[in-house]
Amino acid sequence: QLQASGGGLVQAGGFLRLSCAASGRPFGTYTMGWFRQAPGLEREFVAAITSTTGRTYYAESVKGRFTMSPDNAKNTVYLQMNSLKPEDTAVYYCAADNRVTSLSYYRPGRYNYWGQGTQVTVSS
């Protein structure tokens, strides 16, 4: 079970830190991902840490501004979001799956486990 939190309303240029707490199995063997979905749009990839390589991947639109990091002791992953823009406004979801690899981390359909989503709103 995944529990996402940390969303809110922030002005452009501000920052937020999202958290995704996993209960049950330790997530060290799972690829963890962050996705977002704005109204009327499809769910899109934001960031992921793959279990096979330990590498972190980012969408081009957030590279250099967002940082995803794990805390294995707390079974939690974070998404630090800096220099936020109005176009970052969306519901953010965390996801996990132990079958997702470095070839499929960006595909939401590959993840079986999803958090409930947390709203991020960036005002201009």
Side-chain angles (χ1 to χ4, degrees), residues 62-84:
V62 307
K63 201 172 289 185
R65 300 187 298 122
F66 290 12
T67 302
M68 184 175 181
S69 60
D71 184 333
N72 291 337
K74 295 183 178 180
N75 232 27
T76 299
V77 292
Y78 302 99
L79 185 68
Q80 178 68 40
M81 306 187 297
N82 298 329
S83 302
L84 282 163

Side-chain angles (χ1 to χ4, degrees), residues 13-102:
F15 62 91
L16 286 171
R17 189 178 79 158
L18 305 184
S19 300
C20 176
S23 59
R25 298 178 182 177
F27 68 76
T29 60
Y30 286 70
T31 291
M32 302 296 295
W34 284 100
F35 293 80
R36 65 188 182 187
Q37 188 166 18
L41 299 179
E42 294 186 352
R43 193 166 296 188
E44 65 172 2
F45 168 73
V46 176
I49 296 177
T50 59
S51 59
T52 51
T53 64
R55 287 186 58 186
T56 308
Y57 301 88
Y58 298 96
E60 285 297 321
S61 59
V62 307
K63 201 172 289 185
R65 300 187 298 122
F66 290 12
T67 302
M68 184 175 181
S69 60
D71 184 333
N72 291 337
K74 295 183 178 180
N75 232 27
T76 299
V77 292
Y78 302 99
L79 185 68
Q80 178 68 40
M81 306 187 297
N82 298 329
S83 302
L84 282 163
K85 303 176 181 180
E87 50 264 43
D88 295 319
T89 295
V91 177
Y92 283 69
Y93 298 90
C94 60
D97 202 287
N98 60 359
R99 303 166 305 161
V100 175
T101 69
S102 57

